[in-house]
Amino acid sequence: MTNLDKLSGPKLLNMSEPSQLMTEDTRAALYVALPVLSRGKKWVLLYSTWRHGISLSTLYRRSNLSPGLSLLDVGDHKEAVFGGLVEAPLKPSTKKRY
């Protein structure tokens, strides 16, 4: 790796489609924080309210398409973006709490 490579950040693979929530700078910062085994994999959109509607059961169903770790990012009405690394598939809780 040259000094120029270090300055330009990690080499990110293309996403299956552009993110509505994350900039490339945010993606680069998240990429270096991911577990090493997760790096180098193409990022594939599994669920988006813009594309799939607002349905929790659709989120659960689509999370079954990719077993293992998934990056869940959420945007709120004040344009804050947050999330976490989750183990997919997601499942509803049997307990009545959020």
Side-chain angles (χ1 to χ4, degrees), residues 22-35:
M22 285 189 291
T23 65
E24 285 301 299
D25 288 342
T26 302
R27 262 185 82 211
L30 286 171
Y31 181 85
V32 297
L34 289 173

Side-chain angles (χ1 to χ4, degrees), residues 17 19 29-30 80 92:
E17 57 189 89
S19 174
L30 286 171

Side-chain angles (χ1 to χ4, degrees), residues 50-93:
W50 290 286
R51 179 173 288 264
H52 304 103
I54 300 173
S55 168
L56 196 53
S57 55
T58 301
L59 170 63
Y60 292 143
R61 186 174 58 256
R62 293 197 52 86
S63 77
N64 281 301
L65 300 174
S66 180
L69 295 177
S70 291
L71 183 64
L72 177 66
D73 61 321
V74 179
D76 70 9
H77 67 282
K78 293 184 179 181
E79 298 183 11
V81 178
F82 54 95
L85 195 60
V86 297
E87 190 156 353
L90 300 173
K91 296 182 245 181
S93 172

Side-chain angles (χ1 to χ4, degrees), residues 56 60 91-98:
L56 196 53
Y60 292 143
K91 296 182 245 181
S93 172
T94 57
K95 298 179 178 148
K96 299 282 184 189
R97 54 183 163 165
Y98 296 92

